[in-house]
Amino acid sequence: MKQRPSTEELLARKGTEMPIGDFLELFGVRVRRPWNVHDIAQALTDAGLATLPDFANCAPGDRVQIVALATTTPLTPGPDEGDAAGGDSLPSAALPQRLRIGDLPSARGGVRCVAATTALSQATYLMRHRGYAQIPVTTGMTTLHGVLTWRSLALMYERGKEPSLENAMEQDSLPVADVRQEFFACLSMLTENGYLLVRGEDGSLSGIVTQAHVVDRFESAARPFFLLGEIESLLRRWLGAKLAEDAIKAVQTNRKPEHRSGKVEDLMFGDYVYLINGEQKKQAIAQQADLNWGELQCDSLDRGQFIRHLQRVQEIRNRIAHFDAEPLPHESMRELTAFTALLRDYVG
């Protein structure tokens, strides 16, 4: 570390809360690394202080509070914990054709932890305040002592044990995965425990995955497909009921004349635009589109805005069809949802 605040300076900040970035700046640090995390933790311990949540693992945008160090005896790391970060690491882009647990945003989004010396009341208060069902108990960025859950807390009281963080947390068979593991291989462990702690390529805890995170991820991935399917179904029902076969054959220019079916179910999505867009280069198709729009008998529907919206949906569909790995932006989801609702009103 470039600098280290004195014990008096640290004690003067006891009880204060600040962004994690400001906290690290007290020690002249911008990025957490195992070596500087150890130094900061030692400085806090020497001053009889700690942070809530644990500064070593919280997300970059979190705020931490400097609190008094609890008197609980620190746990001894397991024999394999110190070697957690020493294994060979694969490149983060390895096996791109597979869905890995690290592909879920929360798996790399940081995780709020508490130190092994944290008082049980402080840990449970943090869980209630943040709405957590569980919180890891750690030393530094790599050593995981256990996980405090509401279930493990209840078991402690049922068994008549003395209330302490060590007695309250789960310590055996913890659900921990590596960001490089295949997602579906981890599902059974996630289902059984309700959560999954994730370690990054360097062995440090990088995030947590819960069942809610999985639902959110697959909702964002699957919903656009269902909306697009409904949009295309509604368009086919609407256009197929109103337009003659010759009008449909006129836009099937990618086929030989004898192979043009005149059936709306054989059209590509872009053909729907050609059917009703009067502003296109081919004059004959543009004139036919004007006639088609009249056949649709939708005078209350603004043609220009409807076509622009349809073209926007086509662009979104093309992005999805080319398997863009990034989740669909919220604005695109709003476009699909609004256009689906519009077609439901007009087509029924």
Side-chain angles (χ1 to χ4, degrees):
M1 293 187 299
K2 295 181 180 179
Q3 65 187 50
R4 174 172 172 168
S6 66
T7 298
E8 291 74 18
E9 290 173 327
L10 288 174
L11 288 172
R13 294 181 178 272
K14 179 181 174 182
T16 61
E17 185 180 86
M18 65 189 73
I20 180 62
D22 292 351
F23 174 79
L24 294 176
E25 283 185 7
L26 295 176
F27 298 86
V29 171
R30 297 185 63 185
V31 180
R32 288 169 289 187
R33 303 295 184 201
W35 51 88
N36 58 41
V37 164
H38 176 271
D39 291 340
I40 294 173
Q42 187 61 55
L44 290 172
T45 301
D46 292 345
L49 300 172
T51 64
L52 279 177
D54 189 357
F55 77 92
N57 301 97
C58 61
D62 282 349
R63 298 177 66 86
V64 296
Q65 183 182 15
I66 300 177
V67 297
L69 185 66
T71 57
T72 307
T73 303
L75 300 178
T76 303
D80 297 326
E81 295 285 352
D83 297 328
D88 294 335
S89 65
L90 296 175
S92 59
L95 306 175
Q97 72 275 19
R98 298 179 182 177
L99 178 62
R100 297 166 296 166
I101 196 70
D103 291 330
L104 274 68
S106 63
R108 297 179 183 271
V111 56
R112 290 186 177 92
C113 303
V114 295
T117 54
T118 302
L120 179 60
S121 60
Q122 291 178 326
T124 55
Y125 186 90
L126 185 62
M127 291 173 66
R128 287 197 302 267
H129 177 62
R130 296 287 185 176
Y132 295 156
Q134 62 282 312
I135 192 164
V137 181
T138 61
T139 296
M141 302 174 72
T142 58
T143 302
L144 175 65
H145 299 296
V147 179
L148 177 63
T149 68
W150 294 121
R151 178 180 179 276
S152 66
L153 184 68
L155 285 175
M156 178 194 69
Y157 287 112
E158 287 179 3
R159 293 167 178 169
K161 292 185 177 182
E162 180 184 351
S164 68
L165 184 58
E166 181 177 359
N167 290 335
M169 67 185 178
E170 298 175 350
Q171 301 183 49
D172 300 324
S173 303
L174 298 175
V176 182
D178 186 282
V179 288
R180 296 161 294 192
Q181 284 183 250
E182 291 188 34
F183 169 79
F184 291 103
C186 300
L187 270 184
S188 59
M189 185 164 49
L190 174 61
T191 301
E192 180 180 353
N193 295 276
Y195 70 96
L196 196 63
L197 296 175
V198 184
R199 290 190 185 274
E201 289 88 346
D202 63 353
S204 64
L205 289 177
S206 61
I208 185 171
V209 174
T210 67
Q211 292 169 330
H213 293 138
V214 174
V215 171
D216 289 344
R217 182 66 183 91
F218 277 88
E219 191 270 344
S220 64
R223 191 174 178 219
F225 285 95
F226 285 99
L227 288 175
L228 284 168
E230 184 178 359
I231 287 172
E232 192 149 8
S233 177
L234 290 169
L235 284 172
R236 287 176 175 178
R237 191 196 314 170
W238 187 35
L239 298 174
K242 299 288 186 177
L243 303 182
E245 285 191 2
D246 288 342
I248 296 172
K249 286 181 180 180
V251 299
Q252 292 181 304
T253 55
N254 59 331
R255 302 185 181 189
K256 294 181 179 179
E258 61 269 23
H259 294 153
R260 297 173 186 174
S261 65
K263 297 180 179 179
V264 70
E265 56 264 28
D266 293 330
L267 295 179
M268 300 180 68
F269 199 94
D271 294 333
Y272 305 142
V273 179
Y274 292 136
L275 275 175
I276 59 175
N277 186 12
E279 298 179 1
Q280 45 189 313
K281 294 180 180 180
K282 294 183 179 180
Q283 193 64 28
I285 297 180
Q287 291 175 350
Q288 181 61 51
D290 291 337
L291 296 174
N292 294 341
W293 185 259
E295 292 293 328
L296 293 177
Q297 299 176 349
C298 49
D299 296 336
S300 62
L301 189 64
D302 185 84
R303 183 181 181 184
Q305 292 189 70
F306 181 84
I307 291 173
R308 283 193 294 273
H309 206 163
L310 181 61
Q311 290 171 329
R312 175 61 182 144
V313 170
Q314 181 184 2
E315 293 172 2
I316 297 171
R317 183 185 182 278
N318 290 341
R319 172 179 175 173
I320 294 174
H322 286 88
F323 301 101
D324 193 326
E326 293 297 320
L328 202 62
H330 292 300
E331 180 60 33
S332 297
M333 282 298 302
R334 283 195 291 269
E335 291 270 7
L336 293 181
T337 303
F339 197 66
T340 303
L342 180 70
L343 286 178
R344 287 172 183 166
D345 290 340
Y346 274 88
V347 181

Coordinates of all heavy atoms in Angstrom, one line a residue, residues 29 99 104 109 128 141 146 184 231 237 243 262-263 273 277 299 316:
V29 N -5.4 2.8 -2.2 CA -5.7 1.6 -3.0 C -6.9 1.9 -3.9 O -7.9 2.5 -3.5 CB -6.0 0.3 -2.2 CG1 -6.5 -0.8 -3.1 CG2 -4.8 -0.1 -1.5
L99 N -22.7 -22.5 -22.0 CA -23.2 -21.6 -21.0 C -22.6 -21.9 -19.7 O -22.7 -23.0 -19.1 CB -24.8 -21.7 -20.9 CG -25.4 -20.7 -19.8 CD1 -25.2 -19.3 -20.2 CD2 -26.9 -21.0 -19.7
L104 N -23.8 -15.5 -16.0 CA -24.8 -14.8 -15.3 C -24.2 -13.6 -14.6 O -23.2 -13.7 -13.9 CB -25.5 -15.7 -14.2 CG -26.6 -16.6 -14.7 CD1 -26.2 -17.7 -15.6 CD2 -27.4 -17.2 -13.5
G109 N -20.8 -10.1 -10.1 CA -21.2 -8.8 -9.6 C -20.8 -8.5 -8.2 O -21.3 -7.5 -7.6
R128 N -31.3 -8.7 7.3 CA -32.7 -8.1 7.4 C -32.7 -6.8 6.6 O -33.7 -6.6 5.8 CB -33.1 -7.9 8.8 CG -33.5 -9.1 9.6 CD -34.3 -8.8 10.8 NE -33.6 -7.9 11.7 CZ -32.8 -8.2 12.7 NH1 -32.6 -9.5 12.9 NH2 -32.2 -7.3 13.5
M141 N -10.3 -12.3 0.6 CA -11.1 -12.5 -0.6 C -11.3 -14.0 -1.0 O -12.0 -14.3 -1.9 CB -10.4 -11.8 -1.8 CG -10.3 -10.3 -1.5 SD -9.3 -9.5 -2.8 CE -10.5 -9.5 -4.2
G146 N -17.9 -20.2 6.1 CA -19.2 -20.7 6.2 C -20.2 -19.7 5.6 O -19.8 -18.7 5.1
F184 N -25.5 -25.7 -16.5 CA -26.4 -26.8 -16.2 C -25.9 -27.8 -15.2 O -26.7 -28.5 -14.5 CB -26.9 -27.4 -17.5 CG -27.7 -26.5 -18.3 CD1 -27.2 -25.9 -19.4 CD2 -29.1 -26.2 -18.0 CE1 -28.0 -25.0 -20.2 CE2 -29.8 -25.4 -18.7 CZ -29.3 -24.7 -19.9
I231 N -46.1 -12.0 -32.2 CA -46.3 -11.0 -33.2 C -46.4 -11.6 -34.6 O -47.3 -11.2 -35.4 CB -45.0 -10.1 -33.2 CG1 -45.1 -9.2 -31.9 CG2 -44.9 -9.2 -34.4 CD1 -43.8 -8.4 -31.7
R237 N -52.2 -14.0 -39.1 CA -53.7 -14.1 -39.0 C -54.4 -12.8 -39.7 O -55.4 -13.0 -40.4 CB -54.1 -14.2 -37.6 CG -55.6 -14.6 -37.4 CD -56.1 -14.4 -36.0 NE -55.2 -14.9 -35.0 CZ -55.3 -14.6 -33.7 NH1 -56.3 -13.8 -33.3 NH2 -54.5 -15.1 -32.8
L243 N -55.8 -10.2 -47.2 CA -55.1 -10.0 -48.5 C -55.2 -11.2 -49.4 O -55.2 -12.4 -48.9 CB -53.6 -9.7 -48.3 CG -53.3 -8.5 -47.4 CD1 -51.8 -8.3 -47.3 CD2 -54.0 -7.2 -48.0
G262 N -48.3 -17.9 -52.4 CA -49.4 -17.0 -52.1 C -50.0 -17.2 -50.7 O -51.0 -16.6 -50.4
K263 N -49.2 -18.0 -49.9 CA -49.7 -18.2 -48.5 C -48.9 -17.4 -47.5 O -47.6 -17.3 -47.6 CB -49.5 -19.7 -48.1 CG -50.4 -20.6 -49.0 CD -50.2 -22.1 -48.6 CE -51.1 -23.0 -49.4 NZ -50.9 -24.4 -49.1
V273 N -43.2 -6.2 -44.1 CA -43.0 -4.8 -44.4 C -43.3 -4.5 -45.8 O -43.9 -3.5 -46.1 CB -41.5 -4.5 -44.0 CG1 -41.3 -3.0 -44.3 CG2 -41.2 -4.8 -42.5
N277 N -45.7 -1.3 -46.9 CA -44.9 -0.1 -47.0 C -44.9 0.5 -48.4 O -44.4 -0.1 -49.4 CB -43.4 -0.5 -46.6 CG -42.6 0.8 -46.5 OD1 -43.1 1.9 -46.5 ND2 -41.3 0.6 -46.5
D299 N -58.3 2.4 -40.8 CA -58.1 3.9 -40.9 C -57.7 4.5 -39.7 O -57.0 5.6 -39.7 CB -59.4 4.5 -41.4 CG -59.8 4.0 -42.8 OD1 -58.9 3.5 -43.5 OD2 -61.1 4.0 -43.1
I316 N -35.0 -6.0 -34.3 CA -34.8 -6.7 -33.1 C -34.8 -8.2 -33.4 O -34.0 -9.0 -32.8 CB -35.9 -6.4 -32.1 CG1 -35.8 -4.9 -31.7 CG2 -35.8 -7.2 -30.8 CD1 -37.0 -4.4 -30.9

